[in-house]
Short mmCIF file of all heavy atoms in Angstrom, two decimals:
data_model
loop_
_atom_site.label_atom_id
_atom_site.label_comp_id
_atom_site.label_asym_id
_atom_site.label_seq_id
_atom_site.Cartn_x
_atom_site.Cartn_y
_atom_site.Cartn_z
N MET A 1 9.50 12.20 5.84
CA MET A 1 8.91 10.87 5.69
C MET A 1 9.08 10.40 4.25
O MET A 1 8.77 11.13 3.33
CB MET A 1 7.42 10.94 6.05
CG MET A 1 6.75 9.60 6.08
SD MET A 1 4.95 9.73 6.27
CE MET A 1 4.77 11.06 7.46
N LYS A 2 9.60 9.19 4.11
CA LYS A 2 9.75 8.62 2.76
C LYS A 2 8.88 7.38 2.66
O LYS A 2 8.88 6.55 3.57
CB LYS A 2 11.22 8.31 2.51
CG LYS A 2 11.51 7.71 1.17
CD LYS A 2 12.80 8.28 0.59
CE LYS A 2 13.03 7.78 -0.84
NZ LYS A 2 11.94 8.15 -1.75
N ILE A 3 8.11 7.28 1.59
CA ILE A 3 7.24 6.13 1.38
C ILE A 3 7.81 5.30 0.24
O ILE A 3 8.05 5.83 -0.85
CB ILE A 3 5.80 6.56 1.04
CG1 ILE A 3 5.24 7.46 2.15
CG2 ILE A 3 4.91 5.34 0.83
CD1 ILE A 3 3.91 8.11 1.80
N ILE A 4 8.00 4.02 0.53
CA ILE A 4 8.53 3.12 -0.50
C ILE A 4 7.49 2.05 -0.79
O ILE A 4 6.95 1.43 0.12
CB ILE A 4 9.84 2.48 -0.01
CG1 ILE A 4 10.89 3.57 0.18
CG2 ILE A 4 10.34 1.43 -1.00
CD1 ILE A 4 11.97 3.23 1.13
N ILE A 5 7.17 1.90 -2.08
CA ILE A 5 6.24 0.85 -2.50
C ILE A 5 7.06 -0.31 -3.05
O ILE A 5 7.81 -0.14 -4.02
CB ILE A 5 5.26 1.34 -3.60
CG1 ILE A 5 4.64 2.70 -3.23
CG2 ILE A 5 4.21 0.28 -3.88
CD1 ILE A 5 3.57 2.68 -2.22
N GLY A 6 6.90 -1.45 -2.46
CA GLY A 6 7.69 -2.62 -2.88
C GLY A 6 7.05 -3.37 -4.04
O GLY A 6 5.91 -3.10 -4.43
N ASP A 7 7.82 -4.30 -4.57
CA ASP A 7 7.38 -5.09 -5.73
C ASP A 7 6.14 -5.91 -5.44
O ASP A 7 5.48 -6.38 -6.37
CB ASP A 7 8.50 -6.04 -6.17
CG ASP A 7 9.67 -5.28 -6.77
OD1 ASP A 7 9.48 -4.12 -7.14
OD2 ASP A 7 10.76 -5.87 -6.85
N ALA A 8 5.83 -6.11 -4.18
CA ALA A 8 4.67 -6.93 -3.82
C ALA A 8 3.35 -6.26 -4.16
O ALA A 8 2.31 -6.91 -4.16
CB ALA A 8 4.71 -7.26 -2.32
N CYS A 9 3.39 -4.97 -4.49
CA CYS A 9 2.15 -4.24 -4.80
C CYS A 9 1.40 -4.91 -5.94
O CYS A 9 1.98 -5.22 -6.98
CB CYS A 9 2.48 -2.80 -5.17
SG CYS A 9 1.05 -1.88 -5.77
N THR A 10 0.10 -5.10 -5.73
CA THR A 10 -0.74 -5.70 -6.77
C THR A 10 -1.70 -4.68 -7.38
O THR A 10 -2.53 -5.03 -8.20
CB THR A 10 -1.55 -6.88 -6.20
OG1 THR A 10 -2.26 -6.42 -5.04
CG2 THR A 10 -0.65 -8.03 -5.81
N GLY A 11 -1.59 -3.43 -6.93
CA GLY A 11 -2.35 -2.35 -7.56
C GLY A 11 -3.83 -2.32 -7.24
O GLY A 11 -4.61 -1.69 -7.97
N PHE A 12 -4.23 -2.96 -6.20
CA PHE A 12 -5.66 -3.00 -5.87
C PHE A 12 -6.17 -1.64 -5.40
O PHE A 12 -7.36 -1.34 -5.53
CB PHE A 12 -5.92 -4.08 -4.81
CG PHE A 12 -7.38 -4.35 -4.61
CD1 PHE A 12 -8.16 -4.86 -5.62
CD2 PHE A 12 -7.99 -4.05 -3.39
CE1 PHE A 12 -9.52 -5.10 -5.44
CE2 PHE A 12 -9.35 -4.28 -3.20
CZ PHE A 12 -10.11 -4.80 -4.22
N GLY A 13 -5.31 -0.82 -4.85
CA GLY A 13 -5.69 0.56 -4.57
C GLY A 13 -6.26 0.85 -3.19
O GLY A 13 -6.88 1.89 -3.00
N VAL A 14 -6.05 -0.04 -2.26
CA VAL A 14 -6.52 0.25 -0.89
C VAL A 14 -5.87 1.53 -0.38
O VAL A 14 -6.54 2.40 0.20
CB VAL A 14 -6.18 -0.93 0.06
CG1 VAL A 14 -6.55 -0.58 1.50
CG2 VAL A 14 -6.89 -2.20 -0.39
N CYS A 15 -4.59 1.67 -0.63
CA CYS A 15 -3.86 2.85 -0.16
C CYS A 15 -4.44 4.12 -0.79
O CYS A 15 -4.62 5.13 -0.12
CB CYS A 15 -2.37 2.73 -0.50
SG CYS A 15 -2.04 2.37 -2.24
N GLU A 16 -4.74 4.06 -2.07
CA GLU A 16 -5.29 5.22 -2.77
C GLU A 16 -6.65 5.60 -2.20
O GLU A 16 -7.00 6.78 -2.11
CB GLU A 16 -5.41 4.90 -4.26
CG GLU A 16 -5.78 6.09 -5.12
CD GLU A 16 -5.80 5.74 -6.60
OE1 GLU A 16 -6.06 4.58 -6.95
OE2 GLU A 16 -5.55 6.65 -7.40
N GLY A 17 -7.41 4.59 -1.80
CA GLY A 17 -8.72 4.85 -1.20
C GLY A 17 -8.61 5.57 0.12
O GLY A 17 -9.49 6.34 0.50
N ILE A 18 -7.52 5.33 0.83
CA ILE A 18 -7.33 5.96 2.14
C ILE A 18 -6.77 7.38 1.99
O ILE A 18 -7.26 8.30 2.63
CB ILE A 18 -6.40 5.08 3.01
CG1 ILE A 18 -7.09 3.75 3.32
CG2 ILE A 18 -5.99 5.81 4.30
CD1 ILE A 18 -6.19 2.70 3.93
N ARG A 19 -5.76 7.54 1.15
CA ARG A 19 -5.16 8.87 0.95
C ARG A 19 -4.89 9.09 -0.55
O ARG A 19 -3.76 8.95 -1.00
CB ARG A 19 -3.87 9.01 1.76
CG ARG A 19 -4.05 9.32 3.23
CD ARG A 19 -4.66 10.69 3.47
NE ARG A 19 -3.79 11.78 3.06
CZ ARG A 19 -3.06 12.52 3.90
NH1 ARG A 19 -3.11 12.31 5.19
NH2 ARG A 19 -2.31 13.50 3.45
N PRO A 20 -5.95 9.45 -1.29
CA PRO A 20 -5.78 9.63 -2.73
C PRO A 20 -4.84 10.78 -3.09
O PRO A 20 -4.37 10.87 -4.23
CB PRO A 20 -7.20 9.89 -3.24
CG PRO A 20 -7.99 10.28 -2.04
CD PRO A 20 -7.34 9.63 -0.85
N ASP A 21 -4.58 11.66 -2.14
CA ASP A 21 -3.64 12.75 -2.41
C ASP A 21 -2.19 12.28 -2.31
O ASP A 21 -1.28 12.98 -2.75
CB ASP A 21 -3.87 13.90 -1.42
CG ASP A 21 -3.70 13.47 0.03
OD1 ASP A 21 -4.05 12.32 0.36
OD2 ASP A 21 -3.19 14.28 0.83
N VAL A 22 -1.99 11.12 -1.74
CA VAL A 22 -0.63 10.60 -1.56
C VAL A 22 -0.36 9.40 -2.48
O VAL A 22 0.68 9.34 -3.12
CB VAL A 22 -0.40 10.17 -0.09
CG1 VAL A 22 0.98 9.54 0.09
CG2 VAL A 22 -0.59 11.35 0.85
N PHE A 23 -1.32 8.49 -2.55
CA PHE A 23 -1.12 7.27 -3.33
C PHE A 23 -1.93 7.31 -4.61
O PHE A 23 -3.07 7.77 -4.62
CB PHE A 23 -1.56 6.04 -2.52
CG PHE A 23 -0.78 5.82 -1.26
CD1 PHE A 23 -1.28 6.25 -0.03
CD2 PHE A 23 0.45 5.18 -1.29
CE1 PHE A 23 -0.57 6.04 1.15
CE2 PHE A 23 1.17 4.96 -0.12
CZ PHE A 23 0.66 5.39 1.09
N GLU A 24 -1.32 6.79 -5.68
CA GLU A 24 -2.05 6.68 -6.94
C GLU A 24 -1.58 5.43 -7.67
O GLU A 24 -0.38 5.19 -7.81
CB GLU A 24 -1.78 7.92 -7.80
CG GLU A 24 -2.61 7.91 -9.06
CD GLU A 24 -2.42 9.17 -9.91
OE1 GLU A 24 -1.51 9.96 -9.62
OE2 GLU A 24 -3.20 9.31 -10.86
N VAL A 25 -2.54 4.65 -8.11
CA VAL A 25 -2.19 3.45 -8.89
C VAL A 25 -1.99 3.90 -10.33
O VAL A 25 -2.88 4.50 -10.94
CB VAL A 25 -3.30 2.38 -8.79
CG1 VAL A 25 -2.94 1.17 -9.64
CG2 VAL A 25 -3.50 1.97 -7.33
N ASN A 26 -0.82 3.63 -10.88
CA ASN A 26 -0.51 4.09 -12.24
C ASN A 26 -1.07 3.13 -13.29
O ASN A 26 -1.70 2.12 -12.97
CB ASN A 26 1.00 4.31 -12.40
CG ASN A 26 1.80 3.02 -12.29
OD1 ASN A 26 1.26 1.93 -12.48
ND2 ASN A 26 3.08 3.14 -11.98
N ASP A 27 -0.83 3.47 -14.55
CA ASP A 27 -1.41 2.69 -15.66
C ASP A 27 -0.89 1.26 -15.70
O ASP A 27 -1.52 0.38 -16.29
CB ASP A 27 -1.11 3.38 -17.00
CG ASP A 27 -1.87 4.69 -17.13
OD1 ASP A 27 -2.85 4.87 -16.38
OD2 ASP A 27 -1.49 5.51 -17.96
N GLU A 28 0.26 1.05 -15.09
CA GLU A 28 0.82 -0.31 -15.05
C GLU A 28 0.25 -1.12 -13.89
O GLU A 28 0.65 -2.26 -13.66
CB GLU A 28 2.34 -0.27 -14.92
CG GLU A 28 3.06 -0.01 -16.23
CD GLU A 28 3.31 1.46 -16.47
OE1 GLU A 28 3.88 2.11 -15.58
OE2 GLU A 28 2.90 1.96 -17.52
N GLY A 29 -0.67 -0.51 -13.12
CA GLY A 29 -1.26 -1.24 -12.01
C GLY A 29 -0.36 -1.34 -10.81
O GLY A 29 -0.41 -2.31 -10.05
N PHE A 30 0.44 -0.32 -10.65
CA PHE A 30 1.39 -0.29 -9.55
C PHE A 30 1.23 1.04 -8.81
O PHE A 30 1.10 2.08 -9.45
CB PHE A 30 2.81 -0.43 -10.12
CG PHE A 30 3.86 -0.74 -9.10
CD1 PHE A 30 4.06 -2.04 -8.66
CD2 PHE A 30 4.66 0.27 -8.58
CE1 PHE A 30 5.03 -2.33 -7.72
CE2 PHE A 30 5.63 -0.01 -7.65
CZ PHE A 30 5.83 -1.32 -7.22
N ALA A 31 1.22 0.99 -7.49
CA ALA A 31 1.02 2.23 -6.73
C ALA A 31 2.27 3.10 -6.72
O ALA A 31 3.39 2.59 -6.65
CB ALA A 31 0.60 1.89 -5.30
N GLU A 32 2.05 4.40 -6.80
CA GLU A 32 3.12 5.37 -6.64
C GLU A 32 2.73 6.27 -5.49
O GLU A 32 1.54 6.54 -5.27
CB GLU A 32 3.28 6.22 -7.91
CG GLU A 32 3.75 5.42 -9.10
CD GLU A 32 3.77 6.25 -10.39
OE1 GLU A 32 3.43 7.45 -10.33
OE2 GLU A 32 4.10 5.67 -11.42
N ALA A 33 3.71 6.75 -4.76
CA ALA A 33 3.43 7.62 -3.62
C ALA A 33 4.12 8.96 -3.80
O ALA A 33 5.27 9.03 -4.23
CB ALA A 33 3.92 6.96 -2.34
N THR A 34 3.39 10.00 -3.50
CA THR A 34 3.97 11.34 -3.47
C THR A 34 4.17 11.71 -2.01
O THR A 34 3.22 11.99 -1.29
CB THR A 34 3.01 12.36 -4.12
OG1 THR A 34 2.70 11.91 -5.43
CG2 THR A 34 3.62 13.74 -4.18
N ASP A 35 5.42 11.65 -1.58
CA ASP A 35 5.66 11.88 -0.15
C ASP A 35 6.22 13.28 0.12
O ASP A 35 6.48 13.63 1.26
CB ASP A 35 6.57 10.80 0.46
CG ASP A 35 7.82 10.55 -0.35
OD1 ASP A 35 8.23 11.45 -1.10
OD2 ASP A 35 8.38 9.44 -0.23
N GLU A 36 6.34 14.07 -0.92
CA GLU A 36 6.84 15.43 -0.74
C GLU A 36 5.85 16.26 0.09
O GLU A 36 4.65 16.24 -0.18
CB GLU A 36 7.02 16.10 -2.10
CG GLU A 36 8.36 16.76 -2.28
CD GLU A 36 8.58 17.11 -3.73
OE1 GLU A 36 9.06 16.23 -4.47
OE2 GLU A 36 8.25 18.23 -4.11
N GLY A 37 6.36 16.96 1.07
CA GLY A 37 5.52 17.86 1.83
C GLY A 37 4.71 17.20 2.94
O GLY A 37 3.95 17.87 3.63
N LEU A 38 4.87 15.89 3.10
CA LEU A 38 4.13 15.23 4.18
C LEU A 38 4.77 15.56 5.52
O LEU A 38 5.99 15.68 5.62
CB LEU A 38 4.12 13.71 3.98
CG LEU A 38 3.33 13.18 2.79
CD1 LEU A 38 3.44 11.67 2.72
CD2 LEU A 38 1.87 13.61 2.87
N THR A 39 3.96 15.71 6.52
CA THR A 39 4.46 16.03 7.84
C THR A 39 4.06 14.93 8.82
O THR A 39 3.36 13.98 8.45
CB THR A 39 3.88 17.36 8.33
OG1 THR A 39 2.48 17.17 8.58
CG2 THR A 39 4.07 18.47 7.33
N ASP A 40 4.46 15.10 10.06
CA ASP A 40 4.10 14.11 11.08
C ASP A 40 2.59 14.00 11.24
O ASP A 40 2.09 12.97 11.66
CB ASP A 40 4.74 14.47 12.42
CG ASP A 40 6.19 14.03 12.45
OD1 ASP A 40 6.60 13.24 11.56
OD2 ASP A 40 6.93 14.44 13.37
N ALA A 41 1.86 15.05 10.87
CA ALA A 41 0.40 15.02 10.96
C ALA A 41 -0.19 13.99 10.00
O ALA A 41 -1.30 13.51 10.20
CB ALA A 41 -0.17 16.41 10.66
N ASP A 42 0.56 13.68 8.94
CA ASP A 42 0.08 12.71 7.94
C ASP A 42 0.46 11.28 8.31
O ASP A 42 -0.04 10.33 7.73
CB ASP A 42 0.69 13.03 6.57
CG ASP A 42 0.32 14.41 6.10
OD1 ASP A 42 -0.88 14.66 5.94
OD2 ASP A 42 1.23 15.24 5.91
N ARG A 43 1.35 11.16 9.27
CA ARG A 43 1.95 9.84 9.56
C ARG A 43 0.90 8.79 9.93
O ARG A 43 0.97 7.65 9.48
CB ARG A 43 2.98 9.98 10.68
CG ARG A 43 3.69 8.67 11.04
CD ARG A 43 4.84 8.91 11.98
NE ARG A 43 5.92 9.62 11.33
CZ ARG A 43 6.92 9.00 10.68
NH1 ARG A 43 6.95 7.71 10.60
NH2 ARG A 43 7.88 9.70 10.12
N GLU A 44 -0.08 9.20 10.72
CA GLU A 44 -1.08 8.23 11.17
C GLU A 44 -1.82 7.62 9.97
O GLU A 44 -2.02 6.41 9.90
CB GLU A 44 -2.09 8.91 12.11
CG GLU A 44 -2.85 7.94 12.97
CD GLU A 44 -3.75 8.65 13.98
OE1 GLU A 44 -3.32 9.69 14.53
OE2 GLU A 44 -4.86 8.18 14.19
N ASP A 45 -2.20 8.47 9.02
CA ASP A 45 -2.90 7.99 7.82
C ASP A 45 -2.01 7.06 7.00
O ASP A 45 -2.46 6.04 6.48
CB ASP A 45 -3.29 9.17 6.92
CG ASP A 45 -4.51 9.91 7.44
OD1 ASP A 45 -5.15 9.42 8.38
OD2 ASP A 45 -4.81 10.98 6.88
N ILE A 46 -0.76 7.45 6.86
CA ILE A 46 0.15 6.66 6.03
C ILE A 46 0.42 5.31 6.70
O ILE A 46 0.46 4.27 6.04
CB ILE A 46 1.48 7.43 5.80
CG1 ILE A 46 1.20 8.81 5.19
CG2 ILE A 46 2.41 6.62 4.90
CD1 ILE A 46 0.38 8.82 3.95
N GLU A 47 0.59 5.34 7.99
CA GLU A 47 0.79 4.07 8.71
C GLU A 47 -0.46 3.20 8.61
O GLU A 47 -0.37 1.98 8.49
CB GLU A 47 1.15 4.34 10.18
CG GLU A 47 2.59 4.82 10.32
CD GLU A 47 2.98 5.13 11.76
OE1 GLU A 47 2.08 5.16 12.63
OE2 GLU A 47 4.18 5.36 12.00
N TYR A 48 -1.62 3.84 8.65
CA TYR A 48 -2.86 3.08 8.51
C TYR A 48 -2.93 2.45 7.11
O TYR A 48 -3.27 1.28 6.96
CB TYR A 48 -4.07 3.99 8.76
CG TYR A 48 -5.39 3.28 8.59
CD1 TYR A 48 -5.75 2.26 9.46
CD2 TYR A 48 -6.25 3.62 7.56
CE1 TYR A 48 -6.95 1.58 9.29
CE2 TYR A 48 -7.46 2.95 7.39
CZ TYR A 48 -7.80 1.93 8.25
OH TYR A 48 -8.99 1.26 8.08
N ALA A 49 -2.60 3.24 6.10
CA ALA A 49 -2.60 2.72 4.72
C ALA A 49 -1.64 1.53 4.62
O ALA A 49 -1.98 0.50 4.02
CB ALA A 49 -2.20 3.82 3.74
N ALA A 50 -0.48 1.66 5.23
CA ALA A 50 0.50 0.56 5.18
C ALA A 50 -0.06 -0.68 5.86
O ALA A 50 0.11 -1.81 5.38
CB ALA A 50 1.81 1.00 5.83
N SER A 51 -0.77 -0.47 6.95
CA SER A 51 -1.30 -1.62 7.71
C SER A 51 -2.44 -2.29 6.95
O SER A 51 -2.71 -3.47 7.15
CB SER A 51 -1.77 -1.18 9.10
OG SER A 51 -3.01 -0.50 9.01
N GLN A 52 -3.12 -1.53 6.08
CA GLN A 52 -4.25 -2.09 5.34
C GLN A 52 -3.85 -2.67 3.99
O GLN A 52 -4.65 -3.34 3.33
CB GLN A 52 -5.31 -1.00 5.11
CG GLN A 52 -5.93 -0.47 6.38
CD GLN A 52 -6.55 -1.58 7.22
OE1 GLN A 52 -7.43 -2.30 6.78
NE2 GLN A 52 -6.05 -1.75 8.44
N CYS A 53 -2.64 -2.42 3.55
CA CYS A 53 -2.18 -2.95 2.27
C CYS A 53 -2.18 -4.48 2.33
O CYS A 53 -1.53 -5.06 3.19
CB CYS A 53 -0.77 -2.44 1.96
SG CYS A 53 -0.04 -3.24 0.52
N PRO A 54 -2.92 -5.13 1.43
CA PRO A 54 -3.06 -6.58 1.51
C PRO A 54 -1.75 -7.34 1.27
O PRO A 54 -1.65 -8.50 1.64
CB PRO A 54 -4.10 -6.92 0.44
CG PRO A 54 -4.14 -5.75 -0.45
CD PRO A 54 -3.73 -4.56 0.35
N THR A 55 -0.80 -6.69 0.63
CA THR A 55 0.46 -7.40 0.36
C THR A 55 1.63 -6.83 1.17
O THR A 55 2.79 -7.17 0.91
CB THR A 55 0.81 -7.32 -1.14
OG1 THR A 55 0.98 -5.94 -1.50
CG2 THR A 55 -0.28 -7.93 -1.99
N GLN A 56 1.33 -5.94 2.11
CA GLN A 56 2.38 -5.35 2.95
C GLN A 56 3.48 -4.69 2.11
O GLN A 56 4.66 -4.80 2.43
CB GLN A 56 3.02 -6.44 3.85
CG GLN A 56 2.02 -7.30 4.58
CD GLN A 56 1.68 -6.76 5.95
OE1 GLN A 56 2.51 -6.78 6.84
NE2 GLN A 56 0.50 -6.25 6.09
N ALA A 57 3.05 -4.04 1.04
CA ALA A 57 4.03 -3.48 0.10
C ALA A 57 4.53 -2.09 0.49
O ALA A 57 5.49 -1.61 -0.09
CB ALA A 57 3.43 -3.44 -1.31
N ILE A 58 3.85 -1.45 1.45
CA ILE A 58 4.19 -0.06 1.77
C ILE A 58 5.14 -0.01 2.96
O ILE A 58 4.86 -0.56 4.01
CB ILE A 58 2.92 0.75 2.11
CG1 ILE A 58 1.94 0.70 0.94
CG2 ILE A 58 3.27 2.20 2.45
CD1 ILE A 58 0.57 1.26 1.26
N ARG A 59 6.25 0.66 2.73
CA ARG A 59 7.22 0.83 3.81
C ARG A 59 7.44 2.33 4.04
O ARG A 59 7.48 3.12 3.10
CB ARG A 59 8.55 0.17 3.42
CG ARG A 59 9.51 -0.01 4.56
CD ARG A 59 10.46 -1.16 4.29
NE ARG A 59 11.13 -1.07 2.99
CZ ARG A 59 12.25 -0.41 2.79
NH1 ARG A 59 12.86 0.22 3.77
NH2 ARG A 59 12.81 -0.37 1.59
N ILE A 60 7.54 2.70 5.31
CA ILE A 60 7.73 4.11 5.67
C ILE A 60 9.10 4.25 6.31
O ILE A 60 9.46 3.48 7.20
CB ILE A 60 6.66 4.57 6.67
CG1 ILE A 60 5.26 4.33 6.10
CG2 ILE A 60 6.84 6.04 7.04
CD1 ILE A 60 4.18 4.29 7.15
N GLU A 61 9.86 5.22 5.81
CA GLU A 61 11.17 5.49 6.40
C GLU A 61 11.15 6.88 7.02
O GLU A 61 10.60 7.81 6.44
CB GLU A 61 12.26 5.40 5.35
CG GLU A 61 12.58 3.97 4.98
CD GLU A 61 13.76 3.86 4.04
OE1 GLU A 61 14.28 4.90 3.59
OE2 GLU A 61 14.13 2.73 3.73
N ASN A 62 11.78 7.02 8.16
CA ASN A 62 11.89 8.27 8.93
C ASN A 62 10.59 8.67 9.60
O ASN A 62 9.55 8.63 9.05
CB ASN A 62 12.37 9.43 8.08
CG ASN A 62 13.73 9.13 7.48
OD1 ASN A 62 14.54 8.46 8.10
ND2 ASN A 62 13.96 9.60 6.29
S1 SF4 B 1 -2.72 -1.10 -0.99
FE1 SF4 B 1 -0.71 -2.09 -1.29
S2 SF4 B 1 -1.03 -3.54 -2.96
FE2 SF4 B 1 -2.73 -2.10 -2.98
S3 SF4 B 1 -2.12 -0.51 -4.45
FE3 SF4 B 1 -1.53 0.18 -2.39
S4 SF4 B 1 0.60 -0.51 -2.17
FE4 SF4 B 1 -0.27 -1.66 -3.86
#
């Protein structure tokens, strides 16, 4: 699973609130995702985070 954060991210941190082990808003106010080691068991949470992102900035590949 690959998580891509698009330029639309405004850094509000909804994604981080859902999965702080995966998403982190950096000092520039932009979310970064650590997708290493994620399995299909994590997919539901990540899809939920993507659906809750106010700017639809999170894209999931594979
Ligand atoms: S929820 Fe969306 S806009 Fe907010 S920090 Fe995460 S990726 Fe960025």
